[in-house]
Amino acid sequence: MFHLKDKDLAKKIVDDVKKKNLTLRFMHVCGTHQDTLVKNGLDILFKECGIEIRQGPGCPVCVTTPKEIEKILLLARKNKIIATFGDMINVPGEKESLRDLKEEGHDIRMVYSIEDAIKIAEENRDKDVVFMAIGFETTAPTTASVIITDPPPNFSILSCHRLIPPALKAIAEMGELKIDGFIEPGHVSTIIGLMPYEFISEKYKIPQVIAGFEPIDLLMGVWMLVRQIEKGEAIVENEYTRVVKREGNLKALSAINEVFRMEDSKWRGFPVILNSGMKLKKRFEEHDAEKRFEDELQEINEKEFSEPEGCRCGEVLRGLITSEECPLFGKACVPSKPVGPCMVSIEGSCNIEYRYKGKS
Amino acid sequence: MCLSVPAQVIEIGDKEHAIVDYGDGTQRKVNVTLVDAKIGDYVLVHAGFAIQTIDEKEARATIDIFKEMMEG
Ligand code: SF4
């Protein structure tokens, strides 16, 4: 269904870009883009054309901080039922992962949708059910629309939702890496539209293209960035017009605005990023795990947690190194025994690299 | 996490849900409160929610427009 393909066009684009003799570096912020790139060998193909593409902080599981992981682990140990999306369960905390706790007999459930977590709460009225709400603007409206509809009183969320544009701004401002263009995530853009990216092109003169997830989408997206650079332009263009509307999804945006307030937030590997985290507004406090279990969480809130020893996820997430440049990649760190979240999550750069290319 | 899969709406259920078909024999109930979708529409499904309708004609148009653009 909707496999957009055109072999002739693909070849034409590659030939055209190759001819130009470029040396450019682009960044995308989406695990699904990375998957398309590596699975189809596009990363290698682009490199041959002089274009290097790095994955930035585009993996919700990966950017979740050690502190947030410790919070959900603590709530699990305190006998709440924890509902979480699949990958999260394997992310190592300081001592253990949710999976370890599950094996010890704690009640950890993997869910596909927040609606599954609500069902668990309805079926277990005598217990607290905490949903670990991770994800960017694509996922936040699903959480928001459930919170609006008056969930059961024993249901709460640990909101780890984050916004993409503030992270792009942070990357541009930190200036650790010269980036010639951003490939923007199609499904985040489905929700937010084009506008929230515009200041980045205006202020930092970085070209941006919103792209879909077929190989041809990325080829077209890259070509559009190259064309902007050739013309000396820096604007936000949309390649993924079959799904992304200029204004985004207004219903989803209004759900987000009704439920969440924006707060400065730490991301793994980053310092605090201004207005980049989504927390529940006061009137939904009853469903806010951080408020509801404030006393229990105090010991975590007062402590600082560090990255797993030797793990370089922070630099991977800032685009500074590739996964293979981490000395642990494919050796001490493999998907069956991950050291950091970038090897756990199917959207993490280390996991994707390992899955398609094996050991370094 | 941001992985979203296209599916076709084949049945409107209660006020909030619809049954969608993924085209590979799987069908699923998804929440449709974030979109205006009717039977026959294609939607993008993310974590059990339809997050946008897909414009099938636009998909083909993208390729055509792009070909022109490359000529120019
Ligand atoms: S390979 Fe493992 S240890 Fe190295 S950055 Fe990736 S997740 Fe961390």
Side-chain angles (χ1 to χ4, degrees), chain A residues 41-66:
Chain A
L42 290 178
D43 54 339
I44 296 165
L45 192 67
F46 282 130
K47 233 184 218 158
E48 287 165 8
C49 300
I51 299 171
E52 192 193 2
I53 303 182
R54 291 272 167 105
Q55 178 174 2
C59 159
V61 170
C62 309
V63 298
T64 301
T65 58

Side-chain angles (χ1 to χ4, degrees), chain A residues 307-316 321-334 337-344 349-351:
Chain A
E307 301 291 323
E309 210 179 301
C311 174
R312 297 180 67 183
C313 275
E315 288 153 278
V316 170
I321 63 164
T322 62
S323 296
E324 289 150 302
E325 286 174 75
C326 169
L328 304 188
F329 177 82
K331 298 185 183 87
C333 182
V334 291
K337 222 172 151 281
V339 175
C342 301
M343 188 58 91
V344 173
S349 153
C350 305
N351 180 288

Side-chain angles (χ1 to χ4, degrees), chain A residues 65-204:
Chain A
T65 58
K67 195 174 228 169
E68 286 165 330
I69 310 276
E70 293 306 328
K71 282 184 190 173
I72 203 74
L73 288 167
L74 179 117
L75 294 174
R77 280 183 220 113
K78 302 256 178 190
N79 294 325
K80 328 275 180 228
I81 300 178
I82 305 297
T84 174
F85 291 130
D87 285 350
M88 207 67 215
I89 199 161
N90 291 319
V91 176
E94 205 165 53
K95 285 199 234 61
E96 57 212 341
S97 66
L98 283 171
R99 181 173 300 279
D100 297 328
L101 292 180
K102 188 177 167 67
E103 277 161 16
E104 279 170 28
H106 292 283
D107 198 346
I108 321 284
R109 319 266 186 109
M110 280 202 264
V111 294
Y112 164 71
S113 163
I114 188 171
E115 290 199 319
D116 302 338
I118 295 286
K119 210 178 288 154
I120 296 170
E122 279 164 356
E123 289 162 2
N124 296 274
R125 295 271 177 178
D126 55 332
K127 286 197 109 182
D128 270 303
V129 175
V130 183
F131 173 68
M132 182 147 197
I134 60 164
F136 300 123
E137 293 94 329
T138 323
T139 322
T142 71
T143 302
S145 62
V146 161
I147 294 291
I148 296 169
T149 52
D150 203 14
N154 58 330
F155 177 81
S156 61
I157 66 163
L158 183 69
S159 181
C160 307
H161 288 305
R162 289 177 165 80
L163 298 151
I164 284 289
L168 299 172
K169 177 173 184 257
I171 294 227
E173 288 204 335
M174 280 157 64
E176 296 175 299
L177 189 72
K178 186 177 174 328
I179 291 160
D180 300 297
F182 280 125
I183 301 168
E184 301 302 5
H187 295 144
V188 165
S189 311
T190 299
I191 305 299
I192 67 176
L194 272 62
M195 249 174 45
Y197 299 112
E198 283 169 352
F199 78 97
I200 292 162
S201 284
E202 279 160 26
K203 193 162 174 204
Y204 308 100

Side-chain angles (χ1 to χ4, degrees), chain A residues 270-282:
Chain A
F270 286 79
V272 171
I273 303 179
L274 293 182
N275 289 319
S276 67
M278 296 183 233
K279 298 286 172 197
L280 285 180
K281 286 187 174 166
K282 207 168 164 34

